[in-house]
């Protein structure tokens, strides 16, 4: 199984409290995900829920060709206003480990994501990653970057 690593960084002109409040809410995930993925949080009672260790979040997502898939992640680690980690328990990847880091800086907040993932499927998965998956993941984070700037402004 080939493991891939990618990182994304963004500065926003908001307080750490405001960044944490928004990004640690599971229901806001849909707002920062491209509409063509039809990302729906299906977990019940998520209103006013913030990330905590052990939180299970269920979704319906259409990553490719409009095919709806179930995705289940667990929030495994949280340090308030510093980071949280989500790991896939069931879904489209053989492996998914996503770190979300937040750091106050003079001009606002620095967000840094570290994603490790594997498509699985051996050589077929490696080709799929090279041709589609890697670019799809980049597109998701590019969308998130633009959406966060639209919501909170440019640094």
């Amino acid at each position: 199984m080939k493991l891939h690593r990618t990182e994304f960084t963004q500065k926003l002109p908001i307080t750490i409290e405001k960044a944490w409040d928004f990004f640690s809410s599971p229901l806001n995930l849909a707002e920062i995900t491209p509409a063509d993925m039809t990302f729906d949080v299906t977990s019940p009672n998520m209103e006013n829920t913030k990330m905590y260790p052990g939180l299970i979040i269920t979704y319906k997502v259409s990553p490719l060709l409009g095919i709806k898939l179930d995705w289940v992640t667990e929030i495994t680690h949280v340090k308030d206003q510093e980071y949280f980690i989500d790991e896939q328990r069931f879904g489209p990847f053989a492996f998914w480990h996503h770190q979300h880091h937040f750091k106050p800086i003079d001009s606002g907040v620095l967000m840094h994501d570290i994603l490790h993932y594997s498509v699985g499927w051996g050589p077929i998965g490696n080709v799929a990653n090279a041709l589609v998956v890697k670019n799809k993941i980049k597109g998701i984070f590019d969308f998130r970057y633009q959406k966060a700037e639209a919501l909170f402004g440019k640094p």
Side-chain angles (χ1 to χ4, degrees), residues 74-78 83-87 97-100:
E74 178 181 357
I75 305 303
T76 58
H77 299 80
V78 176
Y83 67 85
F84 64 90
I85 299 172
D86 66 88
E87 296 181 4
H97 182 273
H98 184 188
Q99 301 175 45
H100 309 252

Side-chain angles (χ1 to χ4, degrees), residues 128-149:
N129 185 67
L131 296 177
V132 179
V133 177
K134 170 177 69 171
N135 294 327
K136 186 72 171 181
I137 289 172
K138 182 183 181 313
I140 292 166
F141 279 92
D142 288 349
F143 178 88
R144 186 184 89 167
Y145 189 98
Q146 293 168 1
K147 185 66 175 184
E149 280 192 348

Side-chain angles (χ1 to χ4, degrees), residues 16 20 79-84 100-103:
I16 188 74
W20 184 261
K79 187 163 185 188
D80 190 50
Q81 297 185 11
E82 288 189 34
Y83 67 85
F84 64 90
H100 309 252
H101 295 269
F102 302 84
K103 179 180 179 184

